[in-house]
Amino acid sequence: MVDQLPYLAQYLPILIFLGIALALSSAFVFLPMGVARLTGAHNPNAEKLSEYECGFPAFEDPRSQFDVRFYLVAILFIIFDLEAAFLFPWAVSLHESGWAGWTTMMIFLAELIIGFIYAWKKGALDWE
């Protein structure tokens, strides 16, 4: 047991780090709640306890149906946003990739433009 003490002493900085992390995370969670109770900001009423999402009050029925166009616009936004994010690393490494990289990206952009035109013609980007 005495021979293991030097090995266990190596874990002391980790334990100190974990203790500080636990103390700070507890302070970040519980200190604002305590300050709110002491200053009177904790005053629950019906208006504060109501749900609020997307700029309008929540529906009465949680299983109400949304228009499918909402999801379609969201998916199209994600697709075109992520596709545009591929342009930045390509632009940085264009010197190394040469003509093969340029040609591949032009084919990729052509497919993206064709998809955008298709979504536009189908009316997927129109909102009423």
Side-chain angles (χ1 to χ4, degrees), residues 58-65:
F59 299 113
E60 292 82 22
D61 183 20
R63 291 184 175 83
S64 64
Q65 294 182 350

CSV table of all heavy atoms in Angstrom, one decimal, residues 58-65:
chain,number,residue,atom,x,y,z
A,58,ALA,N,-47.9,29.0,-28.5
A,58,ALA,CA,-48.0,27.6,-28.8
A,58,ALA,C,-49.4,27.3,-29.2
A,58,ALA,O,-50.4,27.9,-28.7
A,58,ALA,CB,-47.5,26.7,-27.7
A,59,PHE,N,-49.6,26.3,-30.0
A,59,PHE,CA,-51.0,25.9,-30.4
A,59,PHE,C,-51.6,25.2,-29.2
A,59,PHE,O,-51.0,24.8,-28.3
A,59,PHE,CB,-50.9,24.9,-31.6
A,59,PHE,CG,-50.3,25.5,-32.8
A,59,PHE,CD1,-49.1,25.0,-33.3
A,59,PHE,CD2,-50.9,26.5,-33.5
A,59,PHE,CE1,-48.5,25.5,-34.4
A,59,PHE,CE2,-50.3,27.0,-34.6
A,59,PHE,CZ,-49.1,26.5,-35.1
A,60,GLU,N,-53.0,25.1,-29.3
A,60,GLU,CA,-53.7,24.5,-28.3
A,60,GLU,C,-53.5,23.0,-28.3
A,60,GLU,O,-53.3,22.3,-27.3
A,60,GLU,CB,-55.2,24.7,-28.4
A,60,GLU,CG,-55.6,26.1,-28.2
A,60,GLU,CD,-55.4,27.0,-29.4
A,60,GLU,OE1,-55.3,26.5,-30.5
A,60,GLU,OE2,-55.3,28.3,-29.2
A,61,ASP,N,-53.4,22.4,-29.5
A,61,ASP,CA,-53.2,21.0,-29.7
A,61,ASP,C,-51.7,20.7,-30.1
A,61,ASP,O,-51.3,21.2,-31.1
A,61,ASP,CB,-54.1,20.4,-30.8
A,61,ASP,CG,-54.0,18.9,-30.9
A,61,ASP,OD1,-53.5,18.3,-30.0
A,61,ASP,OD2,-54.4,18.4,-32.0
A,62,PRO,N,-51.0,20.0,-29.3
A,62,PRO,CA,-49.6,19.8,-29.7
A,62,PRO,C,-49.4,18.9,-30.9
A,62,PRO,O,-48.4,18.8,-31.4
A,62,PRO,CB,-49.0,19.1,-28.4
A,62,PRO,CG,-50.1,18.5,-27.7
A,62,PRO,CD,-51.3,19.4,-28.0
A,63,ARG,N,-50.5,18.2,-31.3
A,63,ARG,CA,-50.4,17.3,-32.5
A,63,ARG,C,-51.0,18.0,-33.7
A,63,ARG,O,-51.4,17.3,-34.6
A,63,ARG,CB,-51.1,16.0,-32.2
A,63,ARG,CG,-50.3,15.2,-31.2
A,63,ARG,CD,-51.0,13.8,-31.0
A,63,ARG,NE,-50.2,13.0,-30.1
A,63,ARG,CZ,-50.3,13.0,-28.8
A,63,ARG,NH1,-51.1,13.8,-28.2
A,63,ARG,NH2,-49.6,12.2,-28.1
A,64,SER,N,-51.0,19.3,-33.7
A,64,SER,CA,-51.6,19.9,-34.9
A,64,SER,C,-50.6,19.8,-36.1
A,64,SER,O,-49.4,19.7,-35.8
A,64,SER,CB,-51.8,21.4,-34.6
A,64,SER,OG,-50.6,22.1,-34.3
A,65,GLN,N,-51.1,19.8,-37.3
A,65,GLN,CA,-50.2,19.6,-38.4
A,65,GLN,C,-49.7,20.9,-39.0
A,65,GLN,O,-50.4,21.9,-39.0
A,65,GLN,CB,-51.0,18.9,-39.5
A,65,GLN,CG,-51.4,17.5,-39.2
A,65,GLN,CD,-52.2,16.8,-40.3
A,65,GLN,OE1,-52.6,17.4,-41.3
A,65,GLN,NE2,-52.4,15.5,-40.1
